[in-house]
Amino acid sequence: MQLAKIPPQPPLWVSYYRVTSPLMWALLLFILESIWYGYELWYAANFRGWILIVFWLWCFLFSFVHIFLVIMDGWSRFQNYKRVKDQFYRYGFQSRIAEAYIVSSCQRRAVKVAASELGMEELVVNYYKERGSSGIITFPTLCYKIR
């Protein structure tokens, strides 16, 4: 099997940013929330009662844990990007490859970034439009399969 010549590729950190940029905004939001909740927790611990301490501790832990969840989700999407890029490079565009990543908008974004770096973005975009999931927010595919 003869593999096609790969187009010039961007640096890895650029690809990571392209795949995870929507998640970066969520990460920033949770960091800011953690700072705010941490301040409120400190204030409650020094000047208020224990009920507010418990409330602000719960809020702080909720937002702090989500920082790591967003980071792990971004890493997972980047792994999807690397896998689908390898598959597209090796086999070319095939609908069954793109179909495996149709469920979430983050996965579709990873597929589109990988395809754009290999010069196949138009094929992927057209395929997702035909399947009815080209938008950012779509009704989950699982709900259609239940009927």
Side-chain angles (χ1 to χ4, degrees), residues 21-145:
S21 58
L23 294 172
M24 293 300 160
W25 290 108
L27 179 65
L28 178 65
L29 176 69
F30 283 121
I31 289 172
L32 293 175
E33 279 184 358
S34 293
I35 292 170
W36 179 46
Y37 294 154
Y39 171 76
E40 291 293 339
L41 176 61
W42 173 82
Y43 188 77
N46 289 325
F47 303 109
R48 296 186 180 167
W50 64 273
I51 294 175
L52 286 176
I53 293 173
V54 170
F55 174 76
W56 288 116
L57 179 64
W58 185 88
C59 291
F60 174 75
L61 290 176
F62 178 83
S63 63
F64 190 72
V65 165
H66 275 78
I67 290 172
F68 297 102
L69 293 177
V70 169
I71 290 170
M72 288 184 282
D73 190 30
W75 186 253
S76 174
R77 296 305 158 238
F78 187 63
Q79 297 302 316
N80 290 148
Y81 153 81
K82 291 190 315 184
R83 181 177 184 191
V84 79
K85 187 174 179 181
D86 289 343
Q87 289 174 334
F88 280 161
Y89 177 68
R90 186 162 188 178
Y91 304 113
F93 175 76
Q94 293 185 5
S95 59
R96 62 188 173 99
I97 296 172
E99 183 70 26
Y101 301 96
I102 201 168
V103 176
S104 103
S105 62
C106 291
Q107 289 178 326
R108 287 191 305 272
R109 182 178 182 85
V111 171
K112 289 176 187 176
V113 170
S116 70
E117 292 180 2
L118 294 173
M120 303 178 196
E121 183 176 20
E122 189 174 318
L123 294 170
V124 170
V125 170
N126 289 337
Y127 176 75
Y128 284 147
K129 280 184 183 177
E130 288 173 8
R131 297 283 293 137
S133 62
S134 60
I136 294 175
I137 300 172
T138 59
F139 200 64
T141 309
L142 176 65
C143 294
Y144 293 117
K145 292 181 181 178

